[in-house]
Amino acid sequence: MSSGQIGREPILRRSRPAYRPMPESGLLVLESHHSASFSLEFRRFDFHKLCWIPVGRGALEYDKSRLPLGKDELLLIPAGDEHRFVDNPSAPLTLVIACFADRILEENQSLKLLIPEVKSRFDTPYPAVHLHSYRRGAVRDIYKRMLLEQSRGGPEAVAVLHAGILELMVHLLRGEPTNKATSLSR
């Protein structure tokens, strides 16, 4: 047990992805702790992903472009876009991801209103913001609450997951845009 893991199980760092099926609720929250040798193939998902990077550095590769990513960034990956995460081997990524199906947009009027706002404020295919200390703490707490509620299950847990997605979208809209230029990948 490392000094940072007192009272908790050691973190399992993965070298390959472990995909989980989307539950009936259309909402899924997961953590992915990458090892230095983590490898991921390009893939499309039929759900949206709100990704927070609490640790590490790397990039999101898509088409023939690359978006550099680092600690304390929050980004939105739309459903259906082919992409993959690539880790910096000296500082592998930890990703905390809130996934939501397209039908959640139809069911949640507030979320349905926020998506066009995100598209109008960001001129990149993957809106990304850097989180200062207040937002970082708030985003961390939202994901922790969502992970806990997801493990509990039930209709009240689904309500908390919906609320968490909304809160994360607001932090995405109010965060400081990274304004990173994408470049051609290798």
Side-chain angles (χ1 to χ4, degrees):
M1 207 182 296
S2 70
S3 61
Q5 295 295 315
I6 296 172
R8 297 190 327 192
E9 294 293 320
I11 293 174
L12 171 65
R13 296 215 170 262
R14 299 186 172 281
S15 59
R16 301 287 308 154
Y19 297 110
R20 292 180 49 195
M22 179 65 76
E24 283 185 39
S25 67
L27 298 159
L28 175 67
V29 184
L30 52 97
E31 290 180 278
S32 182
H33 304 277
H34 300 179
S35 71
S37 62
F38 186 84
S39 176
L40 184 65
E41 299 298 320
F42 278 96
R43 187 166 174 189
R44 290 180 200 281
F45 296 90
D46 60 354
F47 48 81
H48 307 275
K49 298 194 291 188
L50 273 164
C51 306
W52 171 48
I53 299 132
V55 175
R57 291 188 315 273
L60 177 73
E61 289 187 347
Y62 61 97
D63 295 330
K64 293 182 180 171
S65 298
R66 173 180 264 235
L67 176 64
L69 298 173
K71 184 178 189 293
D72 296 329
E73 291 182 354
L74 179 67
L75 73 146
L76 175 65
I77 301 172
D81 284 7
E82 188 174 54
H83 65 280
R84 73 177 181 168
F85 289 97
V86 178
D87 294 83
N88 178 324
S90 66
L93 294 166
T94 291
L95 302 170
V96 188
I97 307 170
C99 308
F100 58 100
D102 262 338
R103 67 182 170 80
I104 300 301
L105 295 173
E106 295 305 316
E107 295 171 4
N108 189 316
Q109 189 61 34
S110 295
L111 186 57
K112 191 175 182 178
L113 293 172
L114 290 176
I115 293 292
E117 193 65 27
V118 168
K119 289 179 181 178
S120 73
R121 287 198 193 171
F122 295 89
D123 59 356
T124 63
Y126 303 100
V129 296
H130 182 77
L131 303 170
H132 57 66
S133 60
Y134 164 75
R135 289 205 187 285
R136 175 180 54 243
V139 165
R140 179 195 63 233
D141 291 347
I142 293 164
Y143 277 109
K144 283 172 72 173
R145 185 173 60 244
M146 292 173 78
L147 284 163
L148 174 65
E149 288 295 332
Q150 179 175 261
S151 70
R152 290 180 174 164
E156 54 280 336
V158 172
V160 170
L161 294 176
H162 274 270
I165 295 288
L166 281 171
E167 287 181 279
L168 291 170
M169 289 296 290
V170 169
H171 283 290
L172 182 67
L173 283 163
R174 292 183 176 169
E176 180 183 323
T178 59
N179 293 328
K180 293 180 184 175
T182 56
S183 59
L184 292 178
S185 64
R186 301 179 301 276

